[in-house]
Amino acid sequence: MADAENIRRRIEVRLGQGEFLAGMLHVAARGSAQAQENYIDRLCSIAAAVRTILEANGLIGHIPYRPGAYWQELKGSSVAFLDGGVANIDLPSAAPIGIRVGSYIVRPGEADPETREQFNIELALVDDLYSNEGFLYDDDFADVAKLRDAARIVSETSAAWHLANRADAPDHILLHGPLINPVSPYGLDDFPGYELDACRSFLGDLSWNGGTEDRQFVGLYLEVLKRLKASGRSVVGVVERSIGKDPVVTRYLLHQLLDQSAVRKSDATEIIANLALYGLNDASLFDVVLQEGEYVGPVSVMRQGPENKWPDRWKAWIRDYPHALTTYLKPSELSAPFRVEAFDDIRDHRRALELILHTSRLLPSYGFPVGLDIVDKFAKVPEWMSRGVRGQHQVVLLQKALASGDPRALTFAKRVLATKGRDWFFRPSA
Amino acid sequence: MPDWAKIGTVVGSASTGSYTFILKSMQAKLGDIVATRVEVPTASDTTRHVATVWGRVISIDRFNPFFPAEAAQELADQSIDLIDTVLSGSRDHLEAQVLILGTTFDADGQAELSPLTYPVKPSAAVLYPDADAVRQLLTGERTADKEKERKNPKLRIGSLIGRADVPVSLSAKQVVSRHLAILAMTGGGKTVAARRIIRELIELKYPLVIFDPHGDYLGLFEKRGLFTGSDIKIMYPVIRVWETNIGIISDLIGKMGRSLTDPQQQFFNFLINAVDVADGEHATTFIQRLMDFADNIASKKRNKDHLADELAEVRGPTINAVKRSLSFVLENLQQMERNNKRLRDQPRFKAYTFHEMPDPTDAPEEIVQPGQVSIFYLAGYDHLNQSAIVSIVLEALFGHRLTLSDRIPPFQAVVEEAHNFIPSRREGIDETPSLPTIRKVITEGRKFGTGLVLISQRPSRLDETTLAQCNSFLVLRIVNPNDKRFVRSVMENLSEADANILQTFGPGQGIVSGQAVRFPLLVRVDFDHELVSDAIGDEDFIAEAARWKPDTKRQSATAAVQKITPRPKAGTSPKPSPPSATTTGKRSRRIRPEGF
């Protein structure tokens, strides 16, 4: 009963903050009259049901917040936080890419500031995606945003691998974002592969000689992930905001319970149907189900989506992708839960969650690991740098147009670069 | 080009008056002199010169973009140390603001400071000059030159705050001719600073006249052994009357006395005009003669003897009222003289020698001569009399300088508690005798070799017009907002950043600016420990109260009298008198003892 009251209270607080509005509209558009009328009650029932089932089956864990003792226990360990920053460059005629992955490695309890904290740029990548002499991709591609995304994903994972591969590798590595990303969107037919040198750089292996497919994003990313997993280090990805509609983790938990015959199929189906009806995803559901310091599962989730949506060419590769041991952790009553992903074989999952909880509680309102906030600020490409890169590309573009001798190319370049109609570029020629 | 340490990089917008730079951790402090180099165009179209741009750090902002405020709250709430967590405390950003002082051109081999005519370049390196370079900058001299120093002597006051290896000195010529104000709240170090400057002037054998209301400088006499070849004299004041200062005296008498009605004032004016002044006679003697003269007139009136026409209408009560007023003034003056004597006779002054103040009109050379420090000990006199004494002395001494009589050399006058001698009109004090005198000296003194050092812990109570005539200022700690505002209004080159740090100064720390220095500097005043008096220190009233014993003679006298008429002991009320023997209820008639 106490759980149900707490759930209702949490729902009402979130309603007051504007949450569940999308769900309410969703119900208003599609739901029955009864569903619309008793929205809060229904929400409470769903959440209470989920909590009852999970709790009964030991799928809700609790990490106590004990800062005084915990930080003393962590003395002597080292923790690395990783994040990537992407330059904000948008030009109509070029596709510059600027990525850097920063790390913040800290040794709690260490008195000497030099050895206590290290900030590094683990990887810095600047290239022109349209250029034939580019370092990164061996060809161009229409969807530049996908090229950048793919490059960012493999860069961040590569940086984690480099750290994990060091002799003095940190005891914990936390990535900002998912540990394992869906790869199907980047398995398109004409998606360019990476240059050999770029691959070797990502893998940290100058002797690597992978073939064409190995150098494609799907292949290369898999190789980096495998190496990272094989390192045996404690590596987790922490996802700040889960925006997907599909309650993936809830489904997986229910499937697991079905396999154990711990729940009826009809009950599991009804829960999933209600989640869909009320527009609840994992984050919003667990926000009201979980109490402070609680986490669900964890459960092993295959992150690549339904197999029928995989590109045929890459099905075998994608099947090889590791699963992510996934949970949602709610650090405090005030903050929403976030997703934490680890490899299936992580040695001490609970210890990792304890670290994440305690670092999140250092931001009591925001409720997210503070080390990731620090490295996010460190790695972020500042606007002045983006402007600089943008400016450089404009100069290169104009120089190339002038060198071509083609008046049409020059006119085009002028139009692209001019910001106003009346500009010295457009002075009438004789 | 000398190889100075690089301590930061210029960022953001730079102007010809200031710039900002990112400072490396622990490489500079507030008040430090820093330098950067910039190419500046010259009069010629083609050439450029490299200038060294000198500046002073006027503010440093420190922030850590990686340390969120809410984390700080959690650390405090949970009593956790930052270093035990994953929080970062090492990435401080230090942003320093620099006020540009001027430029020098190394190629010219000159130490002359010129205004910057072209902004500093963002991304330029900011350098920390060595002590020699800063010294040269402050003095304007490339190398130590004894001849130059002799022609342009300096008064060392201390060192740059945070740089004990860089001395700060004032131009002695500027101080003695263009006046100096020392302003600070109580405990800020004014007296220490004044003693420092006085000591330097003594070393130069420059004549000094110190007006000392509380005895802060009497210790100079005790330590006179440190000043070989100099003579330290303490003088106690005596108010004398001269024809030339009769106006001051009559004003003084008028202010000290009771307020007079118009007829009384008229009679008083008659007395002043009628009684001849014996030049140099003591004011008390003069007042007594006024009273005697008034008595004489009263007696003639009673006897209906012939009197001057203007006295025809004067009535007896008028004369008596004036006499009472004069008697009041006389008693007060005599009391003040006794106070001053009692103070001089204190045991702690037993080794001191006090001289009666020479007549400044007739014998000014006994007050002012090279190598002599004349300290006027004014304690025991009220403010009005102190002001009158200062006025009389300064007026006379300056008068000698004004007439170019060469009876006395140029001299420096030091006025402690200056707010009592040149009060602001806002104070609502009636015309203070010393105010017009000091105004005259401060305005014209420069031409006639009479300089002033004005010292005050309440700047906002000073006469603004007078203070603004000081061309140099040494401002130590000031907290009172009115005083800070006032100081900003009279000091032309006190920036807002400098004004904001006035309240943060420790004792002996301050800012010196004006013509006595090349530019405003943060200074730590040297403390002359050896000048601290052993005899005079802060009174320990707690110990004194513990030691105090009542006067046994008075006690025994009181005890004897009490035996005559027993009085109720303290804390008890007297017993009510028994009811009268009569039964009518009427009060019995009290019999008054004879003789009362």
Side-chain angles (χ1 to χ4, degrees):
Chain A
M1 191 54 93
D3 278 346
E5 281 171 13
N6 284 334
I7 286 171
R8 174 170 281 273
R9 186 177 46 78
R10 281 195 284 272
I11 288 173
E12 281 169 359
V13 165
R14 289 293 186 235
L15 275 170
Q17 291 168 347
E19 298 287 332
F20 300 122
L21 188 60
M24 287 168 96
L25 291 171
H26 190 69
V27 166
R30 295 165 51 183
S32 65
Q34 194 187 9
Q36 290 172 42
E37 217 172 275
N38 301 324
Y39 184 80
I40 296 178
D41 288 341
R42 296 290 288 180
L43 216 55
C44 287
S45 309
I46 296 167
V50 169
R51 183 170 178 96
T52 301
I53 292 170
L54 293 178
E55 217 171 9
N57 290 279
L59 287 173
I60 292 185
H62 179 251
I63 310 271
Y65 179 51
R66 42 186 197 97
Y70 176 75
W71 293 115
Q72 296 305 312
E73 289 164 12
L74 203 64
K75 270 187 185 169
S77 309
S78 61
V79 183
F81 300 89
L82 276 172
D83 196 5
V86 181
N88 175 26
I89 306 165
D90 213 350
L91 290 173
S93 63
I97 182 166
I99 290 176
R100 59 185 202 175
V101 182
S103 69
Y104 166 52
I105 304 174
V106 58
R107 288 169 180 72
E110 172 63 52
D112 178 5
E114 296 290 317
T115 46
R116 182 181 183 272
E117 300 172 27
Q118 284 159 19
F119 286 85
N120 294 312
I121 297 294
E122 299 293 335
L123 187 149
L125 202 153
V126 180
D127 200 13
D128 181 355
L129 298 172
Y130 280 169
S131 168
N132 291 336
E133 295 91 30
F135 161 79
L136 189 59
Y137 288 104
D138 61 10
D139 203 351
D140 58 19
F141 189 68
D143 192 340
V144 171
K146 270 206 165 66
L147 291 177
R148 287 200 185 111
D149 259 347
R152 179 187 57 76
I153 290 167
V154 77
S155 298
E156 288 177 1
T157 313
S158 161
W161 155 238
H162 285 281
L163 270 182
N165 196 30
R166 285 174 12 180
D168 60 344
D171 297 296
H172 299 275
I173 300 173
L174 276 72
L175 276 90
H176 193 179
L179 176 62
I180 299 164
N181 287 272
V183 300
S184 299
Y186 312 102
L188 302 168
D189 282 339
D190 47 356
F191 202 82
Y194 294 101
E195 294 283 355
L196 182 63
D197 282 337
C199 294
R200 284 172 173 167
S201 180
F202 285 133
L203 292 167
D205 183 354
L206 295 176
S207 63
W208 188 79
N209 269 318
T212 315
E213 288 199 327
D214 297 309
R215 289 192 284 118
Q216 287 283 325
F217 172 79
V218 176
L220 180 65
Y221 183 43
L222 175 62
E223 182 59 29
V224 177
L225 276 174
K226 278 184 172 173
R227 292 189 186 210
L228 182 59
K229 184 170 187 247
S231 72
R233 302 290 179 190
S234 168
V235 183
V236 294
V238 188
V239 182
E240 199 165 348
R241 273 178 299 274
S242 298
I243 49 175
K245 284 190 212 169
D246 184 13
V248 172
V249 172
T250 309
R251 279 196 293 105
Y252 267 83
L253 286 167
L254 288 172
H255 274 293
Q256 184 178 294
L257 291 171
L258 274 171
D259 288 345
Q260 293 164 4
S261 302
V263 70
R264 288 183 193 171
K265 189 168 179 183
S266 56
D267 292 337
T269 307
E270 183 166 346
I271 287 172
I272 296 295
N274 272 289
L275 292 180
L277 176 63
Y278 285 90
L280 295 171
N281 63 7
D282 285 325
S284 50
L285 173 66
F286 293 130
D287 189 19
V288 297
V289 165
L290 296 174
Q291 296 176 22
E292 173 178 301
E294 287 185 341
Y295 63 96
V296 294
V299 65
S300 182
V301 173
M302 203 282 291
R303 292 277 296 133
Q304 303 308 322
E307 196 164 314
N308 59 356
K309 297 215 169 130
W310 297 352
D312 288 334
R313 180 184 168 197
W314 297 109
K315 276 193 165 130
W317 295 77
I318 294 174
R319 223 172 267 129
D320 235 1
Y321 265 76
H323 290 200
L325 188 68
T326 311
T327 183
Y328 273 82
L329 169 68
K330 189 175 167 85
S332 72
E333 198 59 35
L334 294 170
S335 48
F338 49 78
R339 190 168 89 236
V340 180
E341 294 181 2
F343 290 121
D344 274 347
D345 59 353
I346 184 171
R347 265 200 284 264
D348 194 338
H349 186 247
R350 190 180 163 84
R351 198 154 157 252
L353 288 184
E354 213 176 12
L355 172 68
I356 291 170
L357 175 85
H358 283 83
T359 54
S360 300
R361 287 295 291 265
L362 288 172
L363 293 177
S365 294
Y366 194 63
F368 192 68
V370 67
L372 292 176
D373 175 59
I374 291 170
V375 75
D376 175 63
K377 286 172 180 156
F378 170 68
K380 193 167 138 158
V381 177
E383 179 54 27
W384 63 263
M385 203 184 275
S386 293
R387 270 203 305 273
V389 176
R390 212 179 288 133
Q392 292 265 352
H393 275 272
Q394 288 175 335
V395 167
V396 166
L397 175 70
L398 191 55
Q399 280 175 344
K400 283 185 176 172
L402 285 168
S404 72
D406 183 345
R408 290 171 299 176
L410 187 59
T411 305
F412 174 71
K414 285 177 183 177
R415 283 193 198 286
V416 162
L417 293 170
T419 53
K420 295 178 193 168
R422 184 172 292 123
D423 186 277
W424 74 269
F425 283 122
F426 286 112
R427 292 267 172 79
S429 48
Chain B
M1 291 278 184
D3 197 18
W4 298 333
K6 179 179 169 182
I7 60 167
T9 309
V10 179
V11 292
S13 302
S15 71
T16 51
S18 65
Y19 64 86
T20 304
F21 76 97
I22 299 298
L23 170 63
K24 280 193 205 169
S25 178
M26 306 290 277
Q27 296 301 304
K29 314 167 283 302
L30 191 71
D32 274 347
I33 305 290
V34 296
T36 185
R37 297 206 168 96
V38 67
E39 268 191 340
V40 296
T42 58
S44 146
D45 285 333
T46 54
T47 57
R48 294 175 196 176
H49 282 182
V50 175
T52 299
V53 180
W54 299 89
R56 176 163 61 87
V57 177
I58 57 172
S59 74
I60 304 178
D61 287 332
R62 182 177 186 178
F63 60 98
N64 185 343
F66 297 152
F67 183 56
E70 54 179 284
Q73 187 63 53
E74 187 67 12
L75 292 180
D77 288 347
Q78 301 295 337
S79 303
I80 321 166
D81 276 332
L82 180 143
I83 64 160
D84 289 335
T85 69
V86 296
L87 286 163
S88 170
S90 69
R91 302 285 281 202
D92 284 345
H93 284 202
L94 295 158
E95 213 171 84
Q97 271 260 303
V98 174
L99 180 71
I100 290 174
L101 303 171
T103 58
T104 53
F105 292 89
D106 298 328
D108 294 349
Q110 299 294 324
E112 279 305 308
L113 211 58
S114 318
L116 178 65
T117 55
Y118 200 77
V120 164
K121 180 179 174 181
S123 81
V126 178
L127 311 169
Y128 196 72
D130 57 43
D132 268 336
V134 179
R135 265 196 294 273
Q136 283 175 23
L137 178 74
L138 298 191
T139 59
E141 283 146 18
R142 288 226 164 256
T143 52
D145 185 329
K146 283 203 164 18
E147 184 56 25
K148 265 191 183 164
E149 216 166 294
R150 194 187 61 77
K151 283 182 180 169
N152 199 9
K154 297 276 189 280
L155 309 176
R156 181 192 159 118
I157 55 168
S159 57
L160 280 186
I161 287 181
R163 283 200 82 162
D165 55 348
V166 180
V168 176
S169 302
L170 309 180
S171 160
K173 281 186 182 172
Q174 291 293 338
V175 168
V176 303
S177 64
R178 308 234 176 190
H179 322 298
L180 169 72
I182 302 177
L183 309 172
M185 59 184 283
T186 311
K190 299 182 302 304
T191 307
V192 169
R195 271 205 290 256
R196 174 97 286 278
I197 291 169
I198 288 168
R199 182 176 193 169
E200 292 287 300
L201 286 169
I202 294 174
E203 297 293 334
L204 292 175
K205 303 287 187 278
Y206 199 77
L208 283 161
V209 176
I210 303 175
F211 296 104
D212 190 358
H214 296 307
D216 293 325
Y217 300 95
L218 300 190
L220 290 171
F221 175 82
E222 186 185 322
K223 302 294 180 178
R224 60 196 182 282
L226 295 170
F227 308 117
T228 31
S230 293
D231 195 11
I232 315 291
K233 282 192 168 149
I234 308 176
M235 298 168 180
Y236 62 87
V238 171
I239 302 178
R240 289 203 180 80
V241 185
W242 285 73
E243 278 292 345
T244 47
N245 72 5
I246 189 63
I248 296 174
I249 301 297
S250 69
D251 270 348
L252 181 66
I253 297 171
K255 287 188 172 96
M256 283 181 71
R258 303 214 161 98
S259 32
L260 302 174
T261 62
D262 283 346
Q264 292 163 1
Q265 187 66 45
Q266 272 182 5
F267 180 66
F268 171 75
N269 292 344
F270 170 79
L271 285 179
I272 293 288
N273 291 326
V275 172
D276 289 332
V277 173
D279 276 350
E281 73 174 314
H282 284 207
T284 45
T285 311
F286 178 69
I287 292 170
Q288 189 61 64
R289 290 205 294 116
L290 288 175
M291 289 167 65
D292 292 343
F293 193 75
D295 267 339
N296 193 14
I297 293 171
S299 171
K300 284 184 176 174
K301 250 203 168 340
R302 278 197 300 277
N303 298 336
K304 294 185 173 34
D305 290 341
H306 174 68
L307 283 169
D309 291 340
E310 57 261 61
L311 293 174
E313 301 295 321
V314 177
R315 293 167 51 231
T318 302
I319 298 173
N320 289 337
V322 173
K323 274 177 54 184
R324 278 197 298 275
S325 181
L326 286 171
S327 171
F328 180 76
V329 172
L330 179 63
E331 271 175 39
N332 273 337
L333 266 179
Q334 287 169 338
Q335 183 59 51
M336 286 181 215
E337 286 176 1
R338 283 194 293 272
N339 288 347
N340 190 274
K341 184 171 188 317
R342 200 174 293 131
L343 286 164
R344 292 187 328 250
D345 289 342
Q346 289 175 85
R348 59 189 178 143
F349 288 140
K350 62 178 187 294
Y352 281 55
T353 308
F354 291 85
H355 303 271
E356 184 179 299
M357 168 183 125
D359 192 321
T361 306
D362 194 40
E365 65 279 359
E366 290 186 29
I367 301 172
V368 177
Q369 53 175 284
Q372 180 169 316
V373 181
S374 300
I375 304 171
F376 284 81
Y377 182 42
L378 304 176
Y381 287 85
D382 65 9
H383 286 161
L384 181 59
N385 276 278
Q386 286 184 355
S387 175
I389 293 162
V390 168
S391 177
I392 290 166
V393 172
L394 255 190
E395 195 78 48
L397 295 177
F398 183 60
H400 287 294
R401 292 296 306 166
L402 206 60
T403 55
L404 301 173
S405 63
D406 208 30
R407 282 193 69 181
I408 52 172
F411 68 96
Q412 187 81 355
V414 179
V415 183
E416 254 289 357
E417 306 282 328
H419 47 275
N420 289 330
F421 300 102
I422 45 166
S424 152
R425 209 167 287 163
R426 281 187 301 275
E427 294 297 303
I429 297 170
D430 291 342
E431 183 72 25
T432 305
S434 51
L435 178 57
T437 306
I438 292 176
R439 264 192 190 156
K440 184 163 49 171
V441 171
I442 212 164
T443 314
E444 297 174 51
R446 178 164 67 89
K447 293 178 281 206
F448 300 103
T450 307
L452 284 168
V453 177
L454 303 176
I455 305 167
S456 175
Q457 69 260 37
R458 285 309 310 272
S460 58
R461 289 175 55 188
L462 287 165
D463 178 56
E464 201 169 324
T465 311
T466 310
L467 190 67
Q469 295 285 325
C470 290
N471 288 121
S472 300
F473 291 85
L474 172 57
V475 183
L476 307 164
R477 187 163 188 246
I478 287 180
V479 168
N480 183 292
N482 290 337
D483 288 335
K484 279 181 5 185
R485 238 187 328 268
F486 182 81
V487 164
R488 276 210 78 187
S489 69
V490 293
M491 284 177 71
E492 292 161 348
N493 53 7
L494 187 72
S495 68
E496 191 170 338
D498 286 339
N500 287 338
I501 61 172
L502 289 177
Q503 70 225 31
T504 65
F505 286 136
Q509 293 180 335
I511 184 163
V512 61
S513 77
Q515 295 191 1
V517 287
R518 289 187 105 192
F519 36 74
L521 295 166
L522 297 189
V523 63
R524 174 186 294 280
V525 178
D526 285 346
F527 184 65
D528 294 283
H529 292 91
E530 62 277 20
L531 290 185
V532 174
S533 166
D534 301 317
I536 308 164
D538 283 337
E539 285 87 351
D540 184 351
F541 292 116
I542 305 284
E544 190 183 324
R547 279 195 307 268
W548 187 86
K549 296 266 185 294
D551 188 325
T552 50
K553 287 185 209 162
R554 286 170 61 92
Q555 278 192 320
S556 60
T558 303
V561 169
Q562 277 184 341
K563 285 181 183 159
I564 303 169
T565 309
R567 287 177 202 153
K569 289 197 180 119
T572 65
S573 47
K575 285 185 186 163
S577 358
S580 153
T582 65
T583 55
T584 58
K586 287 186 186 165
R587 268 171 55 192
S588 57
R589 217 167 141 214
R590 198 158 68 113
I591 299 170
R592 190 183 281 276
E594 283 183 14
F596 289 91

